Amino acid sequence: MTGQDGGFEVLATGPQALVTDRGRPGFAHLGVPPSGSLDRPSYELGNRLVGNGSGAAGLELLGGGLRLRARGARIVAVTGAPAPVRAGGRPAASHTALRVPDGAVLEIGTPVAGLRMYLAVAGGLAAEPELGSRSTDVLSGLGPDPVAAGDVLQVGPWAGPVPPAGPVPFPAVPTQLRLRVRPGPRDDWFTDPRAALTGPVWTVSPTGNRIGVRLDGPPPPRRTSTLGRELPSEGMVTGAVQAPPDGPPVVFLADHPTTGGYPVIGVVDDADLPLLAQAAPASTVRFTVLG
């Protein structure tokens, strides 16, 4: 990632900037989470806009604040949470292919809604893969280090061309989320699991990260027969709603631990997880039970 030549010199990163791609699924037996982009549709859109193949590495940005100086003319796209973009000091559009001249500074500001933005670069970032992925995994430490000021981001070869598309529409980031959830596999540990999930209006805690999102609200009541007991560690999946005995539930995201001992009351549908990835603290969540 760091060298004398490359596609961009990093001037500032904001709260967090990580290399991301489609992740490394299939290694849970080794204790390795799937990782990869949390808002997969936004990540995929960026690659399509710049003409990359599926799976090209880009950046996932938390909270904006990224400033890069182009080393050579580059084509990029900024997707995900809406945020101000500037190239060479001039306002630029997001959700479209954008040409950044050699030496120009690309700036991505603080999002006006949501949390995470994605930067796709024509050719993809040329980070070294580990277990088939270039994604940074904040739990296990696999993949490139978090991007820091002074790094040089190298870019892979690109054949082009840029697809003929102008700015594409993107959905508004909601502050009130409706998430579909499938009960189980340990919903029998709770007195009324459906009511425990669908009754409260949950609030997104500010303590969440790529490992999981904590939902502030009433702990799901356990059956009397389970009080004082805990499960042996068992496998966990992305979207699992894990309910500890003395606090609110946590919804696991892509860098989650692969095992856990607290019962899982339900699993959020994969298609709804990008909404949770963009949920800012104080956003509200209501669950709808599937099945």
Side-chain angles (χ1 to χ4, degrees), residues 1-21:
M1 285 282 294
T2 303
Q4 297 301 313
D5 300 313
F8 287 98
E9 176 190 357
V10 180
L11 305 178
T13 64
Q16 186 182 69
L18 304 175
V19 178
T20 193
D21 58 14

Side-chain angles (χ1 to χ4, degrees), residues 43 72 92 146-147 154 182 224 238 266:
Y43 156 78
V147 176
Q154 298 177 347
R182 291 179 173 81
T224 302
T238 307

Side-chain angles (χ1 to χ4, degrees), residues 74-241:
R74 300 294 170 187
I75 299 173
V76 304
V78 179
T79 58
V85 178
R86 299 177 69 84
R90 297 186 177 187
S94 65
H95 295 84
T96 189
L98 171 65
R99 297 180 184 273
V100 182
D102 179 26
V105 174
L106 173 68
E107 302 172 81
I108 302 175
T110 302
V112 299
L115 287 179
R116 292 178 170 88
M117 291 137 290
Y118 292 84
L119 176 66
V121 182
L125 297 182
E128 189 69 25
E130 290 189 71
L131 294 180
S133 171
R134 294 175 170 87
S135 286
T136 301
D137 176 353
V138 301
L139 181 66
S140 67
L142 288 173
D145 291 336
V147 176
D151 286 352
V152 173
L153 305 180
Q154 298 177 347
V155 176
W158 179 70
V162 175
V168 298
F170 53 93
V173 178
T175 57
Q176 299 176 328
L177 281 68
R178 286 273 184 178
L179 302 180
R180 295 167 293 177
V181 62
R182 291 179 173 81
R186 298 296 182 181
D187 52 327
D188 57 343
W189 276 53
F190 303 91
T191 54
D192 190 345
R194 290 188 176 230
L197 283 170
T198 62
V201 178
W202 306 95
T203 302
V204 174
S205 166
T207 60
N209 54 29
R210 284 184 49 86
I211 295 170
V213 173
R214 184 177 299 278
L215 301 179
D216 290 335
R222 288 195 180 188
R223 294 184 184 274
T224 302
S225 61
T226 70
L227 296 178
R229 296 173 50 201
E230 291 304 333
L231 291 163
S233 288
E234 56 186 2
M236 292 289 144
V237 298
T238 307
V241 185

